[in-house]
């Protein structure tokens, strides 16, 4: 994954409370809290580089005294984290999420100050080890086998400049780009490391890739029209088999991924025989069940992805790029309209029930 970090383990501890003052019944201040605060333009790598110890401890509460019977609260510790963070306990249980800028999560609570109830002795703050798990938030996630042309596509439709080469696994860390439209609308696109067969079982970059798909609103499958073969030891797969295998990997990892809206980009249409291969692929996609015999039974998905649009294209010649951008925009706008409609109906229902 190179310098890209999407998982970080931290030690957090709330501040200890202040001492009480038995003679006058004074109460010590509460210890400070440790907060995670979502902030844009922050990465987990920034946190690791800035705090190599990965320890975050809040300030202790002030002791009670004759001058101040009620001690002051300890200083809070705020840790700025990127958007799209899941906060997990050390055992893997999720305890919080931070998806929008400004959202806060209480990671460790400070201890109570000494008082009559505690015989004026302070309590220690909460301490625990937590994991920050990053899942990229993007409008569209590019899904495809290595060398299908995802990086080339991202550089064609956005200002991102991922590494591009004619060998598999050129993308070893997720890349984010933004499609800019004439009316200033922006759509974010995530190019993710290439899947391989068995990714659901964590082969290759498996789960490190698939978890990022969860946070994308839509899927864009990128398929090489001439087929795909990872190495001489692996089986050659046609474009149709590639679509089925990608669908199967998503299904085995998390079935809900197949409910996302999806588009299909058929790349490398500049190659010889591409037109014939496209006609064959379109025929197969219209009635996929008739061609399931071409694959082994355990590689056939239980449910097929329903593509909102299928766009033949070539990142080499630029064919189909503008059509693809328009299709992505249309699909995103339709989904946004449906979400707004659901929200309006929900509000209307609440108004009726309250009336």
């Amino acid at each position: 994954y190179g310098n890209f970090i999407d998982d970080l383990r931290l030690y957090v501890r709330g501040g200890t409370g202040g001492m009480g003052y038995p003679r006058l019944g004074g109460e010590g201040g509460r210890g400070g809290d440790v907060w995670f605060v979502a902030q844009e333009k922050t990465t987990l790598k920034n946190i690791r580089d800035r705090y190599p110890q990965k320890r975050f401890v809040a300030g202790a509460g002030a002791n009670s005294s004759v001058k101040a019977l009620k001690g002051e609260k300890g200083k809070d510790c705020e840790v700025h984290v990127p958007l799209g963070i899941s906060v997990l306990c050390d055992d893997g249980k999720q305890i919080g999420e931070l998806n929008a800028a400004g959202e806060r999560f209480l990671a460790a609570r400070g201890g109570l100050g000494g008082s009559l109830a505690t015989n004026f002795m302070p309590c220690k703050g909460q301490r625990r080890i937590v994991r920050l798990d990053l899942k990229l938030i993007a409008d569209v996630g590019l899904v495809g086998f290595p060398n299908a042309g995802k990086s080339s596509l991202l550089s064609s439709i956005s200002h991102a400049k991922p590494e591009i080469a004619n060998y598999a696994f050129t993308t070893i860390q997720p890349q984010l780009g933004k499609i800019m439209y004439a009316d200033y609308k922006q759509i974010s696109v995530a190019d993710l490391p290439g899947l391989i067969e068995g990714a659901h079982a964590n082969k290759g970059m498996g789960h490190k890739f698939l978890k990022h798909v969860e946070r994308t609103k839509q899927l864009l499958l990128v398929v090489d029209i001439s087929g795909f073969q990872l190495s001489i030891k692996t089986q050659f797969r046609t474009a149709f088999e590639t679509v089925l295998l990608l669908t199967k990997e998503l299904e085995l990892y998390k079935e809900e991924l197949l409910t996302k809206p999806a588009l299909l980009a058929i790349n490398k249409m500049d190659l010889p025989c591409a037109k014939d291969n496209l006609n064959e692929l379109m025929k197969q996609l219209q009635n996929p069940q008739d061609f399931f015999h071409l694959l082994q039974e355990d590689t056939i998905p239980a449910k097929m992805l329903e593509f909102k649009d299928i766009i033949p294209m070539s990142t080499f010649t630029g064919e189909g790029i503008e059509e693809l951008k328009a299709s992505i925009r249309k699909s995103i706008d339709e989904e946004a309209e449906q979400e707004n409609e659901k929200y309006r109906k929900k509000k209307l229902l609440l108004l009726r029930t309250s009336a």
Side-chain angles (χ1 to χ4, degrees):
Y1 249 41
N3 288 325
F4 182 79
I5 297 173
D6 58 4
D7 196 301
L8 199 61
R9 203 160 167 260
L10 308 174
Y11 172 82
V12 291
R13 193 181 83 207
T16 306
M19 288 287 290
Y21 198 69
R23 195 152 58 88
L24 297 174
E27 194 175 308
R30 248 194 69 207
D33 304 318
V34 179
W35 291 88
F36 293 147
V37 184
Q39 190 180 58
E40 290 178 346
K41 296 181 181 175
T42 301
T43 65
L44 292 182
K45 186 177 184 298
N46 292 154
I47 299 172
R48 192 194 64 178
D49 293 347
R50 195 172 174 189
Y51 307 99
Q53 301 292 325
K54 294 182 284 189
R55 287 171 61 88
F56 297 93
V57 181
N63 294 335
S64 174
S65 64
V66 175
K67 291 180 181 177
L69 288 177
K70 173 73 176 173
E72 283 189 17
K73 183 178 183 290
K75 189 179 178 184
D76 287 348
C77 172
E78 288 194 353
V79 186
H80 292 130
V81 299
L83 277 57
I85 283 286
S86 296
V87 186
L88 313 171
C89 288
D90 211 26
D91 61 2
K93 183 185 174 187
Q94 185 171 317
I95 52 176
E97 266 190 349
L98 296 161
N99 294 322
E103 283 187 358
R104 298 165 66 85
F105 174 77
L106 181 60
R109 192 181 292 279
L112 294 171
S115 63
L116 184 63
T118 61
N119 203 20
F120 300 99
M121 295 300 290
C123 299
K124 288 184 177 179
Q126 183 183 14
R127 63 176 74 193
R128 59 181 170 186
I129 289 169
V130 294
R131 261 181 46 224
L132 300 183
D133 193 30
L134 174 68
K135 293 175 185 173
L136 288 179
I137 298 177
D139 295 313
V140 180
L142 301 183
V143 179
F145 283 137
N147 220 27
K150 299 187 302 301
S151 298
S152 301
L153 176 58
L154 185 69
S155 65
S156 299
I157 61 177
S158 76
H159 297 299
K161 293 287 172 271
E163 185 181 341
I164 299 166
N166 63 351
Y167 56 86
F169 296 114
T170 45
T171 304
I172 57 168
Q173 60 188 47
Q175 302 275 347
L176 268 177
K178 283 194 175 175
I179 308 175
M180 313 288 283
Y181 291 91
D183 61 353
Y184 302 106
K185 165 90 174 176
Q186 295 182 18
I187 291 176
S188 56
V189 181
D191 171 27
L192 305 153
L195 276 174
I196 61 168
E197 290 179 48
H200 70 277
N202 214 16
K203 284 185 183 176
M205 298 185 190
H207 293 175
K208 272 188 177 290
F209 156 76
L210 285 163
K211 72 174 186 181
H212 292 298
V213 181
E214 292 179 53
R215 290 289 177 91
T216 56
K217 292 177 187 172
Q218 302 200 2
L219 305 177
L220 175 58
L221 269 67
V222 185
V223 172
D224 185 337
I225 189 60
S226 58
F228 169 72
Q229 187 173 17
L230 184 63
S231 70
I232 52 169
K233 294 179 183 176
T234 59
Q235 197 174 335
F236 173 79
R237 300 295 189 184
T238 64
F240 175 66
E241 290 174 302
T242 302
V243 172
L244 292 187
L245 285 165
L246 288 170
T247 307
K248 185 67 176 177
E249 290 301 331
L250 294 172
E251 178 187 273
L252 289 169
Y253 178 70
K254 197 166 275 189
E255 277 186 54
E256 300 93 270
L257 292 178
L258 298 188
T259 62
K260 289 180 183 284
L263 301 169
L264 176 61
I266 301 165
N267 194 18
K268 306 190 183 180
M269 286 301 296
D270 54 287
L271 296 175
C273 302
K275 292 273 193 309
D276 294 338
N277 289 341
L278 178 64
N279 293 335
E280 180 70 16
L281 175 61
M282 296 303 282
K283 192 167 68 178
Q284 291 170 325
L285 288 173
Q286 279 172 358
N287 297 295
Q289 294 82 2
D290 297 347
F291 300 91
F292 280 171
H293 64 274
L294 298 171
L295 282 93
Q296 294 171 319
E297 201 173 322
D298 59 348
T299 59
I300 298 169
K303 181 188 171 188
M304 284 293 291
L305 270 170
E306 290 182 19
F307 297 111
K308 296 180 82 173
D309 204 355
I310 299 173
I311 306 101
M313 49 157 286
S314 166
T315 53
F316 183 70
T317 62
E319 175 197 342
I321 295 293
E322 289 306 315
E323 290 90 329
L324 178 62
K325 286 165 74 173
S327 184
I328 291 170
R329 172 72 185 268
K330 184 185 172 191
S331 182
I332 290 285
D333 287 349
E334 282 174 0
E335 286 303 308
E337 186 54 42
Q338 284 178 18
E339 286 295 316
N340 290 339
E341 190 60 34
K342 279 182 195 171
Y343 179 74
R344 284 196 289 268
K345 283 180 179 174
K346 192 178 175 182
K347 281 286 183 189
L348 194 61
L349 191 65
L350 282 169
L351 285 168
R352 281 176 181 165
T353 50
S354 60

